[in-house]
Amino acid sequence: MGEKSKILIIGGSGRIGKYIVQASAISGHPTFAFVRQTTSLHPVKAQLLRKFTKLGVSLLYGDIYNHGSLVSAIKQVDVVISTLGADQLAAQTNIISAIKESGNIKRFVPSEFGNDVDHVNAVEPANSVYATKAKIRRTIEAEGIPYTYVPSGIFATLILPLQFRYISENRVNILGDGNVKAIYNKEQDIGTYTIRAVDDPRTLNKTLLIKPPKNIITFNEIVALKEKKLGKSLHKTYIPGEKLLKDMEAYSGSYKLGLAINHSIFIKGDQTNFEIDPSKEVEASELYPDVNYTPVEELL
């Protein structure tokens, strides 16, 4: 292995971004976090930034809507990773423009964390979010920018507590029939796999799917594991896909988006209803068998 790439994470103080920053720093990559000046004024995020600096992370202040600050930051690194949220996905065209002007980036990892957008059959508003991600992919490819796409599956430590939020009442809601397989990954593991890929020629211009065998599981199986750990049965309410779609009509904004994503995952099976195409896709746990990922059973 040669010298480790210098990595810039844009959106590093966000939900998944902080785990990727930490994974990069811990793995020995010279790590840079691109943050807005206002981020340091937020008490919780200011504490996170202090944690970054203790890990040796360099903070570069700027804004994705300020072309000059983007170019200046990108010229200092070899790899750019975007972890921007749904409301800023389209603005990744600004990052692409800055990468083209800089001319030094050997890998771009756009914000792909979630479902693989080339294998989805979603309803609105999730469909528009996925379409934006797909458009960013096609723009990257058209511009000839080296890339790796990293769909991550479900953020396990975020979603599992939500799925068992009624456990104190000894009940659980199950979307569909509960037999559709989904992929649950601990956020730290997503960070680890992402950073392992950035200097790996096997992932260049490929999609890195994170599908560890023990984390490909139906929700019925998860409920059974939970019941075993609790030593008691839970009352199960099954919510058909048609009812979920009807319920969505009463909501808007991020909550409706979340329901639409759930429909894609647990009704349509969009995380597991396709085979890996080795010409353009690789699987993380096969490439990096030495990574001790966290199985769902342990997360429970």
Side-chain angles (χ1 to χ4, degrees):
M1 294 293 291
E3 185 177 346
K4 291 190 175 184
S5 291
K6 297 187 288 288
I7 299 176
L8 174 70
I9 297 96
I10 300 174
S13 64
R15 173 71 202 180
I16 190 63
K18 60 179 176 287
Y19 295 107
I20 293 176
V21 171
Q22 292 165 12
S24 178
I26 291 169
S27 66
H29 286 272
T31 303
F32 301 77
F34 187 76
V35 296
R36 290 173 292 187
Q37 287 284 356
T38 54
T39 302
S40 60
L41 301 177
H42 189 286
V44 174
K45 293 197 173 184
Q47 185 178 7
L48 179 63
L49 295 183
R50 288 193 291 272
K51 183 177 180 180
F52 287 171
T53 56
K54 287 181 180 179
L55 288 171
V57 176
S58 299
L59 303 180
L60 301 179
Y61 290 96
D63 193 292
I64 60 169
Y65 301 103
N66 183 313
H67 183 72
S69 67
L70 267 177
V71 172
S72 176
I74 288 170
K75 283 185 175 180
Q76 300 181 52
V77 300
D78 308 301
V79 172
V80 176
I81 300 176
S82 169
T83 61
L84 296 174
D87 58 336
Q88 291 185 304
L89 290 172
Q92 290 181 110
T93 55
N94 298 343
I95 301 174
I96 293 170
S97 296
I99 287 173
K100 288 294 289 183
E101 180 173 330
S102 300
N104 59 295
I105 294 304
K106 63 182 184 182
R107 193 85 62 108
F108 178 38
V109 182
S111 187
E112 279 285 338
F113 305 95
N115 287 3
D116 185 335
V117 299
D118 284 337
H119 297 286
V120 290
N121 183 24
V123 298
E124 293 294 355
N127 184 61
S128 292
V129 173
Y130 294 144
T132 299
K133 289 186 176 184
K135 185 176 180 180
I136 292 296
R137 284 190 179 193
R138 304 293 87 84
T139 303
I140 291 167
E141 293 157 9
E143 293 289 352
I145 296 172
Y147 65 84
T148 299
Y149 305 140
V150 187
S152 62
I154 294 168
F155 294 166
T157 65
L158 173 67
I159 299 302
L160 281 173
L162 293 175
Q163 291 179 314
F164 287 103
R165 61 188 177 276
Y166 302 119
I167 196 167
S168 62
E169 303 169 22
N170 294 321
R171 64 188 181 94
V172 62
N173 291 340
I174 300 174
L175 298 180
D177 61 9
N179 292 322
V180 173
K181 288 186 179 293
I183 305 165
Y184 292 78
N185 288 313
K186 190 175 182 179
E187 289 87 330
Q188 287 91 336
D189 296 339
I190 295 168
T192 298
Y193 282 125
T194 301
I195 296 303
R196 286 292 294 270
V198 298
D199 282 334
D200 190 340
R202 297 174 297 177
T203 63
L204 181 61
N205 296 333
K206 296 283 183 71
T207 297
L208 178 73
L209 296 161
I210 305 178
K211 303 177 73 171
K214 293 181 181 179
N215 289 357
I216 304 172
I217 191 169
T218 71
F219 195 56
N220 281 338
E221 291 171 329
I222 290 177
V223 171
L225 288 171
K226 191 71 170 178
E227 289 177 327
K228 182 178 179 180
K229 289 178 180 294
L230 292 171
K232 61 182 179 182
S233 296
L234 298 172
H235 176 74
K236 304 168 189 67
T237 299
Y238 290 88
I239 302 173
E242 296 79 8
K243 184 179 187 308
L244 178 60
L245 290 174
K246 183 67 177 176
D247 291 345
M248 284 172 55
E249 296 175 2
Y251 297 99
S252 61
S254 60
Y255 191 79
K256 186 171 185 177
L257 173 61
L259 293 178
I261 291 172
N262 282 339
H263 185 272
S264 167
I265 296 171
F266 299 106
I267 304 298
K268 293 293 187 179
D270 282 342
Q271 291 188 343
T272 57
N273 62 6
F274 62 93
E275 298 294 326
I276 291 178
D277 179 352
S279 69
K280 58 184 179 181
E281 298 163 345
V282 290
E283 199 284 307
S285 66
E286 291 183 358
L287 290 185
Y288 314 114
D290 57 308
V291 173
N292 294 316
Y293 70 88
T294 309
V296 170
E297 185 171 7
E298 185 176 326
L299 285 168
L300 290 172

